[in-house]
């Protein structure tokens, strides 16, 4: 089955710097890769996603890249702000048993210091 | 996107008791998913609930401990049975969006359970 590894587990940056979180997956059949942001005491919220037919996607300060050959994808946050502080989860979706199953990475705790 | 309502949002439960969590979606969906998030951990899929059939459980989760109902296309329940402190977690219901959203998966607000 699918296995998703995420690095780093914690990341501390100064406000205005960039942050990069990397994930690798094992199942070459995976075709959808979402990223979720979870603030303290709240549910995970989808912030950006990428599908297997695209190499890069950008939404304002957030971008995601996908390398299908190497089976890894990354989240890039530019010009970080204190409100970006949260736990970020990557995930991979693979078809299993006739339905799409979402497998999460272990998460990255991002701290943005003013 | 789908609007997903979960109840209860929070509860403190006594050891040995059972609690049923409800999940209501504002549109008909084929699959509903139940996740567990233990303190400081990632999300782990418990089971997938398909209307009209028994839920499919992931490795490490069994029906006796986490019975699931799926009576129609907009509703599901997860019961956490004979609770112990190790069951203290956030339990999240999720659904796959409609065809227009591709594989996008949305989460409910979550049910924060503390077992004492």
């Amino acid at each position: 089955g699918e296995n998703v590894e995420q690095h780093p587990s914690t990341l501390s940056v100064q406000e205005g710097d960039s942050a990069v979180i990397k994930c690798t997956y094992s199942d070459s059949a995976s075709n959808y890769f979402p990223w979720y942001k979870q603030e303290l005491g709240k549910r995970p919220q989808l912030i950006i996603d990428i599908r297997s037919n695209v190499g890069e996607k950008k939404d304002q300060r957030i971008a995601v890249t996908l390398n299908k050959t190497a089976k890894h994808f990354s989240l890039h946050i530019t010009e970080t702000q204190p409100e970006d502080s949260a736990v970020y989860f990557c995930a991979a979706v693979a078809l299993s048993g006739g339905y799409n199953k979402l497998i999460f990475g272990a998460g990255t705790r991002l701290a943005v210091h003013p | 996107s789908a609007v997903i309502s979960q109840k209860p949002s929070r509860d403190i439960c006594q050891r040995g008791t059972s609690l049923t969590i409800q999940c209501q979606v504002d549109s008909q969906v084929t699959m509903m998913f139940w996740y567990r998030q233990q303190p400081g951990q990632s999300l782990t899929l418990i089971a997938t609930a398909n209307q009209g059939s028994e839920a499919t459980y992931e490795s490490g989760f069994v029906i006796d401990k986490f019975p699931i109902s799926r009576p129609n296309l907009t509703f599901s329940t997860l019961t956490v049975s004979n609770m112990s402190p190790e069951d203290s977690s956030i339990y999240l219901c999720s659904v796959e969006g409609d065809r227009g959203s591709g594989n996008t998966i949305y989460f409910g607000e979550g049910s924060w359970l503390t077992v004492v």
Side-chain angles (χ1 to χ4, degrees), chain B residues 14-29:
Chain B
Q14 294 296 318
R15 186 192 303 248
T17 63
S18 299
L19 182 80
T20 296
I21 303 166
Q22 299 179 6
C23 179
Q24 180 75 53
V25 189
D26 68 341
S27 58
Q28 293 184 344
V29 293

Side-chain angles (χ1 to χ4, degrees), chain A residues 31-32 36 38 41-44 46 49 51 89 93 97-107 109, chain B residues 4 10 31 33 35 37 41-43 45 48 56 58 90 92 96 101-105 107-109 112:
Chain A
N31 55 15
Y32 174 64
Y36 290 85
Q38 188 175 30
K42 297 189 176 180
R43 64 179 159 178
L46 178 71
D49 56 15
R51 301 182 194 281
F89 293 98
V93 169
Y99 60 90
N100 291 312
K101 187 189 295 190
L102 189 59
I103 305 299
F104 285 85
R109 184 173 300 277
Chain B
I4 307 168
R10 292 180 187 276
M31 295 291 184
F33 305 90
Y35 284 84
Q37 187 176 28
Q41 302 295 313
S42 185
L43 289 84
L45 181 63
T48 302
T56 302
E58 297 299 306
I90 308 168
L92 294 143
E96 191 171 1
S101 70
N103 307 101
T104 304
I105 292 176
F107 286 91
E109 299 276 358
W112 266 252

Side-chain angles (χ1 to χ4, degrees), chain A residues 7-8 12-13 29 33 45 49 68 80 90 98 101 108:
Chain A
H7 300 281
S12 182
V13 300
F33 307 91
Q45 295 274 21
D49 56 15
K68 283 208 69 181
T80 53
C90 65
K101 187 189 295 190
T108 296

Side-chain angles (χ1 to χ4, degrees), chain A residues 20-74:
Chain A
V20 180
I21 303 171
K22 299 181 179 182
C23 289
T24 60
Y25 61 98
S26 60
D27 188 348
S28 57
S30 292
N31 55 15
Y32 174 64
F33 307 91
W35 286 89
Y36 290 85
K37 175 184 180 182
Q38 188 175 30
E39 297 174 329
L40 191 62
K42 297 189 176 180
R43 64 179 159 178
Q45 295 274 21
L46 178 71
I47 56 171
I48 196 167
D49 56 15
I50 192 166
R51 301 182 194 281
S52 59
N53 58 347
V54 176
E56 183 174 358
K57 184 177 178 180
K58 190 172 181 181
D59 183 3
Q60 298 181 17
R61 296 186 297 108
I62 294 174
V64 58
T65 58
L66 170 65
N67 183 328
K68 283 208 69 181
T69 303
K71 290 191 281 189
H72 65 70
F73 57 112
S74 301

